[in-house]
Structure formats: C-alpha cells, structure tokens
Amino acid sequence: MRFQHSSDIWRDFPELVPGVLVATGVSADVSVDDQVARFGELAAKRLATSSEGELPEIQAWRRAFSKMGLKPTQYRCASESLLRRFRKEGALPRLHPLIDLCNAVSIAYAIPVAVFDVSKITQYVEVRYAAGDETYLTFSGETEHPPPGEVIFADAAGMAHARRWTNRQSGHSAVRDTTTDVLIVAEALHDTAGKDVDSLISTLSDELSAVWPVTPESAILAPSEPRFEFSA
C-alpha cells in the first residue's frame, strides 16, 4: 500500500510539508489520560496569548482554504476546529484512545492530524483533486459525491476518505474499537512546517510506542520523495 499527494497538489501548494506514520497493533483497551492532559496544557498555553485564528499554522491553512475557494470561517481545517472547541469548552470529546491522543497532539501543534483504518483502504490513499465520481460516506451513513476540484483523500476504489483536505473525514475508514492498523497523516503549510511536522511525527511515534506494543513506520514527504509505501 502507499500514501502520496498528486503532482497537482504539490504544484499548487509547494509550501506543503506532509508527515505520515503507519502503526500495526493498536487497540481501544488503553488509557491516554496523562498524554491528553499534557498536550492539552501545551495547547492552553498557546491559546492564553493568541486565539486559534492568530496562530501561523492556522493562518496558513486559512490561506489554502481561500485558494481552494472555501470561506475560511465557514470551513475550518481540522486543527482549527479542534482548537476552537477546546478554547470554548476546555476539553475535547473522548472517542477512542488513538483518536484522543492524535487530537491532543494536533491541538498542541495546531497542525491537522488525520487517522484512517488501513483495513478500509483499497491499495493506496492519494491526496488529489476530485474528479466528481468519487464516493464519500458520512458518519450518519449517507453517501455524498465531492464536486470536481475539491481536495480529497481518495483510494483506488474511488472512495473519498476525507473531504476538503481533512476538514471532513469519512465514516467509512474512521477508527473504531475493532481497528488495529492505522495510517496517520499530518500536514502543514506555515513557514516552520518542516521542523514542526518532523517534531510532531517523532512525538506521536514515541507516544504510540509508549502506549501500545507497536513499532511505527514514518516519513516526511516532499516533491522529490512524494510516496510512502507500507505493508498491510
């Protein structure tokens, strides 16, 4: 299997820095309370001096969303949505230990982190512009077809695993209690994205290894090395 971005995405967003991680052997029977609290404290410190919309990581995504023809205040990147909720409520909903951990890391870094159940992916995931015939399954079970030109995470079967560049993840490949193998993707566009994404992926790898009996594989992608191959 593999993960990659299309050449069109690299052309239109040359500042993009994607980090990818694959882990086999996760489960739902663990506690990540300490990790969630620790990363939540980091996020709270940043929000104490700036709103989420003022953070450079979020501002870069707002520019990207505007470039894609989306209103930044109507459609927010995943990390901005999480930070906004965290600022208002002081905590995030608890869904699954892995999702809770990734959400906590996401708000600490203000960088979107998407998590996919590998067993629901056909051959590959490519971040690309939609052709218009792809299928997207909502969490409520409804089927949608992203319009041509929308940035989606698509596989070989034409399934869209996320819409609007991870703003809306599909219910088809969302992590569940039965999930064991996962693909995790973090992407950033701001000036220090290179070192920040590298730090995020390294941190997440360490946290995963501390909580589950896993040995994550990871990589930082670039136009010269745009593909990450992994076994499943």
Side-chain angles (χ1 to χ4, degrees):
M1 300 188 78
R2 69 182 187 274
F3 173 84
Q4 65 189 54
H5 291 73
S6 71
S7 58
D8 290 345
I9 294 296
W10 285 114
R11 177 199 65 208
D12 295 342
F13 300 92
E15 68 273 32
L16 172 66
V17 179
V20 58
L21 182 153
V22 170
T24 300
V26 302
S27 61
D29 58 347
V30 300
S31 173
V32 294
D33 290 350
D34 292 344
Q35 289 86 349
V36 168
R38 177 158 37 89
F39 289 114
E41 288 177 1
L42 294 175
K45 287 181 180 178
R46 296 196 72 184
L47 291 175
T49 57
S50 302
S51 69
E52 64 275 4
E54 295 173 318
L55 299 176
E57 299 90 341
I58 302 303
Q59 289 180 342
W61 275 108
R62 285 188 174 189
R63 290 191 294 271
F65 273 49
S66 294
K67 190 174 182 178
M68 292 187 288
L70 301 174
K71 293 181 179 179
T73 54
Q74 181 178 4
Y75 297 106
R76 306 175 192 274
C77 73
S79 55
E80 180 176 359
S81 295
L82 289 173
L83 280 165
R84 194 163 182 257
R85 185 163 187 172
F86 181 77
R87 174 175 53 80
K88 290 182 176 182
E89 302 178 9
L92 296 175
R94 303 300 286 270
L95 305 170
H96 178 286
L98 178 62
I99 299 302
D100 298 342
L101 174 62
C102 288
N103 283 348
V105 170
S106 178
I107 63 173
Y109 281 87
I111 291 173
V113 177
V115 188
F116 306 95
D117 185 329
V118 171
S119 70
K120 302 296 185 180
I121 295 170
T122 302
Q123 296 183 20
Y124 63 79
V125 172
E126 182 178 45
V127 182
R128 62 171 172 79
Y129 293 111
D133 57 358
E134 296 87 358
T135 300
Y136 172 88
L137 184 68
T138 69
F139 277 90
S140 61
E142 298 175 351
T143 298
E144 298 176 351
H145 298 286
E150 181 179 304
V151 179
I152 61 173
F153 283 49
D155 68 11
M159 181 66 70
H161 294 279
R163 292 192 60 182
R164 304 186 189 99
W165 214 340
T166 76
N167 177 262
R168 290 183 60 195
Q169 189 168 340
S170 167
H172 177 71
S173 53
V175 170
R176 295 174 172 82
D177 288 352
T178 54
T179 300
T180 57
D181 303 349
V182 294
L183 168 68
I184 302 174
V185 180
E187 298 162 296
L189 300 156
H190 59 288
D191 289 345
T192 59
K195 70 178 184 64
D196 293 339
V197 171
D198 185 67
S199 175
L200 184 155
I201 292 295
S202 177
T203 295
L204 195 51
S205 181
D206 290 344
E207 296 294 348
L208 285 169
S209 299
V211 176
W212 289 276
V214 301
T215 304
E217 298 178 50
S218 63
I220 305 299
L221 304 182
S224 58
E225 295 184 17
R227 179 182 294 189
F228 176 76
E229 297 186 355
F230 59 97
S231 57

